[in-house]
Amino acid sequence: MKKIIWISTILLVLLIVGLNLFWNRIFGYPTLDQAVQSNWKTPVKIVNVDQENQLVLYLDETQYVFAAYEQKRGRFHVNADTESGWTASSDLGPAFLVVAEPKNNSGNFMWGALYSDISIAKFQIEYINGETHAVEAINNTFIVRMPVAFQNESQLSLMETFDNIHAIDANHQVIQSWKPES
């Protein structure tokens, strides 16, 4: 009888320790910061969140990483398979990073960042079909769902759907522009 109690106690302790170790992985994290950080050994910083489409942009030193997250029952999950990371550099002014890609099974998105200490107020996006969008800058970054006209584009041709993107400061001055290579 003592042996059964002893084995039951050990199994209960192992179960409690196992649940403590894997609780957040299984049931999600209490904050988006914790969910994002769970996939990284180095510290990362969230710089932009699109709550409507459950997308997050974060910074790992100089690399921007774009990922989808899920919020269920007040807990957050970030699937490492949805992460895409990019960095940019430039010899002519501040580096400008722009990426267009499908995400989260909810459409095609464009996101970007201007590597600059100059505060950007908005990004002006000019699409090839003549549409223009102004997107509020958050921490010199942006996330935007692409227009309906480009939602059926393949991932390979998404970077060809716009003519130009301008980073504009609070004084309405263009700080840097980005044009796809032809």
Side-chain angles (χ1 to χ4, degrees), residues 69-139:
Y69 70 89
E70 205 171 32
Q71 185 177 11
K72 290 182 182 173
R73 295 178 294 284
R75 301 198 54 97
F76 295 88
H77 300 266
V78 175
N79 183 347
D81 294 338
T82 70
E83 294 176 327
S84 63
W86 297 85
T87 189
S89 62
S90 173
D91 295 331
L92 305 170
F96 203 155
L97 173 65
V98 175
V99 179
E101 62 184 293
K103 195 60 87 181
N104 204 20
N105 294 326
S106 58
N108 293 331
F109 294 85
M110 184 184 306
W111 62 275
L114 186 69
Y115 289 80
S116 176
D117 291 335
I118 300 168
S119 184
I120 302 303
K122 68 179 177 179
F123 291 89
Q124 186 78 31
I125 304 168
E126 300 167 356
Y127 292 95
I128 59 173
N129 66 354
E131 285 187 59
T132 302
H133 285 131
V135 181
E136 178 185 353
I138 299 172
N139 296 315

